[in-house]
């Protein structure tokens, strides 16, 4: 049995979450239905932003003295939707570029399908977190339920230490291992690098907010 066949067998028998799913995308990429799901989740996320805009308006009272509130709500909601769709493209390009750097033979269509699955999982998770916060009256502008910030409202940098970022880093490693067929070592390292970047950028954003 060749090395490639051994790796294929190892992946198929893996008990690690999502490994088999992303492995299937290497051979059978699907993106039409998943694109629709991403759009639906993006709309839901945009409505969550719309419903929490009163919090944003309260925090930006000076700016909004010269801005029509309806226009503010519209622009932020549309911006949230476009931003979500744009993030899928960014994720796909990152997967594609890194995979090509490591000489992966994964097809662009497979990586795009993987980017869609990645985005659906992350969007689904963050949407559930946001809805839970709304139900329990926790302001999305003040708290991030899946992060250490839940213990310290005023410390925005703690939002970077979240389950969302851990999930993103984990899925990044899984995609490179299952879809791009990089080695376990390379996939783990890339996942760790992704986590460091996510936490670092989150902390910088928190300090500047």
């Amino acid at each position: 049995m060749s090395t490639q066949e051994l790796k294929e067998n190892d992946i198929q028998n893996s008990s690690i979450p999502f490994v088999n799913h992303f492995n299937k995308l290497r051979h059978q990429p699907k993106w039409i239905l998943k694109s629709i799901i991403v759009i639906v989740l993006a709309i839901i996320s945009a409505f969550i932003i719309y419903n929490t805009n009163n919090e944003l308006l309260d925090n930006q009272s000076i700016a909004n003295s010269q801005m029509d509130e309806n226009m503010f709500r519209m622009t932020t909601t549309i911006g949230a939707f476009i931003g979500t769709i744009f993030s899928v493209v960014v994720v796909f390009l990152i997967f594609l570029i890194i995979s090509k750097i490591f000489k992966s033979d994964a097809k662009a269509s497979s990586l795009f399908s993987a980017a869609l699955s990645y985005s659906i999982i992350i969007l689904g998770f963050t949407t559930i977190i946001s809805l839970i916060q709304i139900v329990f009256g926790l302001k999305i502008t003040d708290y991030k339920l899946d992060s250490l910030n839940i213990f310290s409202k005023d410390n925005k940098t703690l939002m970077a230490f979240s389950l969302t970022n851990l999930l993103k880093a984990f899925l990044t490693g899984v995609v490179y291992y299952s879809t791009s067929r990089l080695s376990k070592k390379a996939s783990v390292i890339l996942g760790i690098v992704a986590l460091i970047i996510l936490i670092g950028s989150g902390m910088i954003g928190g300090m500047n907010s």
Side-chain angles (χ1 to χ4, degrees):
M1 187 177 290
S2 67
T3 302
Q4 188 171 0
E5 290 174 330
L6 286 171
K7 187 169 185 178
E8 177 75 24
N9 187 60
D10 185 44
I11 290 175
Q12 289 180 352
N13 294 325
S14 175
S15 59
I16 299 174
F18 302 113
V19 166
N20 285 326
H21 170 73
F22 284 100
N23 175 53
K24 291 177 182 178
L25 301 183
R26 177 179 173 84
H27 308 291
Q28 298 175 320
K30 298 179 181 180
W31 54 272
I32 296 178
L33 177 59
K34 287 194 285 189
S35 296
I36 295 173
I37 294 174
V38 167
I39 292 173
V40 171
L41 288 172
I43 292 173
I44 294 173
S45 298
F47 272 109
I48 290 175
I49 293 296
Y50 179 85
N51 289 327
T52 57
N53 270 337
N54 285 333
E55 300 170 21
L56 296 174
L57 289 169
D58 290 339
N59 294 334
Q60 300 179 18
S61 57
I62 296 177
N64 282 287
S65 62
Q66 301 175 348
M67 181 188 296
D68 180 79
E69 292 187 3
N70 290 329
M71 180 60 70
F72 176 79
R73 288 190 178 91
M74 183 180 297
T75 53
T76 53
T77 302
I78 294 175
F81 175 79
I82 294 175
T84 300
I85 301 301
F86 181 72
S87 69
V88 177
V89 177
V90 172
V91 169
F92 163 64
L93 290 176
I94 291 174
F95 286 160
L96 181 63
I97 292 171
I98 298 299
S99 295
K100 295 307 178 185
I101 289 175
F102 281 83
K103 308 299 182 181
S104 169
D105 61 351
K107 296 180 294 185
S109 58
S110 296
L111 292 171
F112 181 64
S113 182
L116 287 171
S117 288
Y118 170 100
S119 299
I120 288 171
I121 295 168
I122 297 300
L123 280 171
F125 181 77
T126 55
T127 298
I128 290 172
I129 294 296
S130 297
L131 291 175
I132 291 174
Q133 288 193 216
I134 291 173
V135 170
F136 286 94
L138 296 173
K139 291 184 178 180
I140 294 177
T141 52
D142 292 336
Y143 294 101
K144 195 171 188 300
L145 187 60
D146 69 319
S147 74
L148 295 181
N149 157 262
I150 195 68
F151 301 110
S152 180
K153 172 184 174 182
D154 297 324
N155 194 337
K156 303 297 185 184
T157 58
L158 291 179
M159 288 184 175
F161 298 90
S162 66
L163 293 177
T164 299
N165 283 342
L166 281 174
L167 181 59
K168 286 179 178 179
F170 169 74
L171 290 176
T172 296
V174 170
V175 169
Y176 289 129
Y177 178 65
S178 299
T179 309
S180 299
R181 281 293 197 278
L182 304 188
S183 67
K184 285 183 180 180
K185 182 178 179 180
S187 300
V188 170
I189 291 174
L190 289 170
I192 293 174
V193 170
L195 182 60
I196 293 172
I197 292 174
L198 288 166
I199 291 177
S201 59
M203 290 180 69
I204 292 173
M207 289 186 289
N208 291 332
S209 63

